[in-house]
Amino acid sequence: MDRGARSRMIIFGLEGTAWNLSAALVDESGAIYEKSATYTPARGGIHPREASQHHAEHMRAVVGDVLAQARQRGLKLEGVAFSQGPGLGPCLRTVATAARALSLRFDIPLVGVNHCVAHIEVGKWQSGARDPAVIYVSGANSQVLALRQGRYRIFGETLDISVGNAIDKFARSVGLAHPGGPKVEELARKAKNYIPLPYTVKGMDLSFSGLSTAATEAAGKHDLEDVCYSLQETAFAMLVEVTERAMAHAEKREAMLVGGVGANARLGEMMRIMCHERGAEFFLPPRSFMGDNGSMIAYTGLLMLKSGISTPLDQSHVRPGYRTDEVPVSWA
Ligand code: AMP
Ligand code: MG
């Protein structure tokens, strides 16, 4: 048996809101083990029903592998956390069904976790940020948030599609496979010119749809490298502007970048420069905790269980439109 296993609170977490089915074990001292199965669409973007079929097909192997690890290490599970939303309905239902079954099988509490809150909590845990303004940018979400009066309040967000979706859509339109984010970043490194593209910040909110379309149109007339670079520069400058204003409003001395698009080195660099210029500290969690992962759900479940929150079966329905600011953050 692992040393100290009796006094450790071990939580099993299950993520599967979109492209990544991922199960993990964590305790307070760290992420113990994680196993994932990634859905990659044969063509086009993520198809909700195909993604949920992928998750259903891989559920037994992914969950079984993590449970086998727990057994081998002599770890006793004390809770099952699952991503309750936001996300794609069919994917959420597949994940919730598996989580309910595990909770019943082991007779341990079930905890429904807000996926966006989990990105933030795992980011703080892994980067050491204490009270940051958060820029959360992923395939489905683009939000700027900060903890105020017990909730992660949304200071600004996209009014249409997320920045990740905008880049992925553009990438597909020029023949790059999904997900396009990393490929666009690679091409942008070789750029020589900046091409002006629509910069749309409305108050504290953002719009990326027109930018994505304009980049697609520009790709017919300019070098692809230059368009990739200009798309990134424009989109990221918009995000950094709103984050800086949120920091000023909420009087935060820290900023933290989370979500899959946070893996982009240029976005990290722009955030670092902005923070440096205003004498604030910038926090970036390790890459493995940036995109969707099971550890972030397990860790947030652990925080919730420790503060006395669990989810009865009859309240474990999926919540595709679950908003970040609906969650009372009683553990912070
Ligand atoms: P998530 O939904 O948080 O798992 O993040 C997935 C999104 O992150 C997709 O839109 C990817 O294209 C995007 N992404 C991943 N790596 C990068 C990168 N290096 N640069 C820009 N976007 C990225
Ligand atoms: Mg995500």
Side-chain angles (χ1 to χ4, degrees):
M1 180 176 280
D2 264 16
R3 232 159 25 123
R6 282 177 213 289
S7 59
R8 291 160 71 187
M9 190 171 194
I10 313 284
I11 305 298
F12 178 97
L14 192 59
E15 157 61 26
T17 53
W19 58 275
N20 198 24
L21 177 69
S22 179
L25 300 170
V26 307
D27 71 5
E28 269 157 292
S29 60
I32 300 168
Y33 186 76
E34 186 175 273
K35 176 77 179 177
S36 302
T38 302
Y39 158 74
T40 314
R43 68 192 139 71
I46 296 177
H47 189 293
R49 190 170 35 77
E50 278 179 15
S52 77
Q53 275 166 1
H54 165 273
H55 295 355
E57 274 164 28
H58 291 82
M59 191 65 77
R60 177 184 281 272
V62 168
V63 169
D65 183 68
V66 174
L67 292 180
Q69 281 291 325
R71 266 197 311 277
Q72 275 172 29
R73 296 166 192 235
L75 303 174
K76 183 174 172 297
L77 304 184
E78 303 218 16
V80 176
F82 71 104
S83 46
Q84 196 169 7
L88 304 172
C91 296
L92 292 173
R93 283 190 288 279
T94 303
V95 164
T97 304
R100 288 184 203 112
L102 288 168
S103 163
L104 290 170
R105 160 76 179 74
F106 294 111
D107 194 21
I108 51 178
L110 185 65
V111 202
V113 171
N114 179 295
H115 175 93
C116 310
V117 169
H119 271 292
I120 299 172
E121 292 301 348
V122 84
K124 284 162 76 174
W125 188 42
Q126 292 294 321
S127 74
R130 286 170 308 273
D131 184 23
V134 180
I135 165 172
Y136 165 41
V137 278
S138 72
N141 300 282
S142 299
Q143 296 182 331
V144 175
L145 316 103
L147 189 62
R148 270 222 150 163
Q149 294 169 332
R151 285 175 199 242
Y152 290 110
R153 312 278 170 185
I154 301 166
F155 280 75
E157 64 186 320
T158 181
L159 297 169
D160 42 52
I161 57 174
S162 75
V163 62
N165 191 358
I167 295 174
D168 292 344
K169 263 189 164 167
F170 159 77
R172 283 201 300 277
S173 77
V174 297
L176 302 169
H178 183 87
K183 297 166 193 106
V184 169
E185 177 174 28
E186 192 64 40
L187 288 165
R189 286 211 185 92
K190 299 178 203 135
K192 295 190 184 65
N193 304 298
Y194 174 78
I195 301 149
L197 292 172
Y199 182 104
T200 317
V201 174
K202 299 180 180 177
M204 289 294 279
D205 291 325
L206 305 136
S207 161
F208 294 106
S209 183
L211 173 60
S212 184
T213 308
T216 295
E217 282 164 9
K221 303 177 209 137
H222 302 274
D223 276 353
L224 186 57
E225 286 93 351
D226 289 346
V227 180
C228 290
Y229 169 74
S230 308
L231 171 58
Q232 284 197 168
E233 292 300 301
T234 309
F236 297 166
M238 289 161 55
L239 287 160
V240 172
E241 180 195 324
V242 172
T243 309
E244 180 167 25
R245 220 155 338 117
M247 290 174 80
H249 265 306
E251 298 178 336
K252 301 290 180 189
R253 309 299 306 157
E254 301 179 334
M256 178 177 76
L257 173 59
V258 298
V261 184
N264 188 290
R266 178 60 181 146
L267 178 55
E269 183 188 15
M270 288 167 78
M271 282 293 300
R272 199 176 294 283
I273 292 168
M274 181 273 284
C275 287
H276 180 74
E277 283 176 354
R278 45 183 302 120
E281 228 181 319
F282 176 56
F283 293 87
L284 189 69
R287 225 165 223 260
S288 54
F289 292 94
M290 281 287 194
D292 297 347
N293 63 87
S295 299
M296 71 185 201
I297 303 300
Y299 177 67
T300 309
L302 184 146
L303 293 177
M304 293 172 77
L305 275 172
K306 274 184 56 190
S307 72
I309 305 164
S310 62
T311 307
L313 275 186
D314 64 2
Q315 287 168 33
S316 65
H317 56 276
V318 301
R319 303 180 66 172
Y322 202 178
R323 298 269 299 169
T324 320
D325 53 8
E326 282 181 68
V327 182
V329 182
S330 55
W331 55 86

